[in-house]
Amino acid sequence: KTVGMYVSKTKGYPVLMLDTEMSKKDQVNRSISSETDILIGSVETGKFGTDVQAVNRAKKFINTMKNAPYYYKNVAGKAFEEILSIVRRWVMKEVGVDENGETKPCLIIYDYFKIMDESDVADKPEHQVMGDQINKLTAFATLSNVPVLAFVQANRSAITSESTDIIS
């Protein structure tokens, strides 16, 4: 999220943050906390309200982000094909193309690759399904000339492994 906020604030490029877990409210609270050095618990409860400096830092950050082309989308539980459709629509609607038909500068952040529908792994190993998702997003990014920053969580039981079961 920090990379995306930096790109949207400093470069003015549209950024799409796709989150497979957190709600927008939780993401906003964490962003305020990390960007203003206010403890997350204080942000979540609003108990920093008597600290004038903290309030000013939070207001400044919120106002900066209101004007930044930063888009957050929770995609928890959605099929990967649906997520790709969301990305395509966003690129067409919010980013667009230049006079040469090339996609304008933007950034897509995908946090993180995971299996959201157990039926996806009914006939394939998990690592193969994950590989298919990665390949589809890579193909989209390449064809659309769009940068994507994507994450994957290491499978804790395979943390010392060098095999394909390292990705969960």
Side-chain angles (χ1 to χ4, degrees), residues 15-65:
V15 174
L16 175 61
M17 171 68 184
L18 299 163
D19 196 324
T20 62
E21 290 190 326
M22 295 178 67
S23 70
K24 184 173 184 175
K25 179 182 176 186
D26 289 339
Q27 190 65 256
V28 167
N29 286 341
R30 285 183 182 225
S31 298
I32 292 169
S33 175
S34 70
E35 294 291 320
T36 62
D37 293 324
I38 301 169
L39 295 174
I40 185 69
S42 296
V43 173
E44 290 172 340
T45 62
K47 294 199 176 183
F48 66 94
T50 58
D51 181 345
V52 175
Q53 290 179 338
V55 169
N56 288 339
R57 289 194 313 270
K59 284 181 179 179
K60 181 179 178 185
F61 171 71
I62 291 166
N63 286 334
T64 299
M65 289 312 298

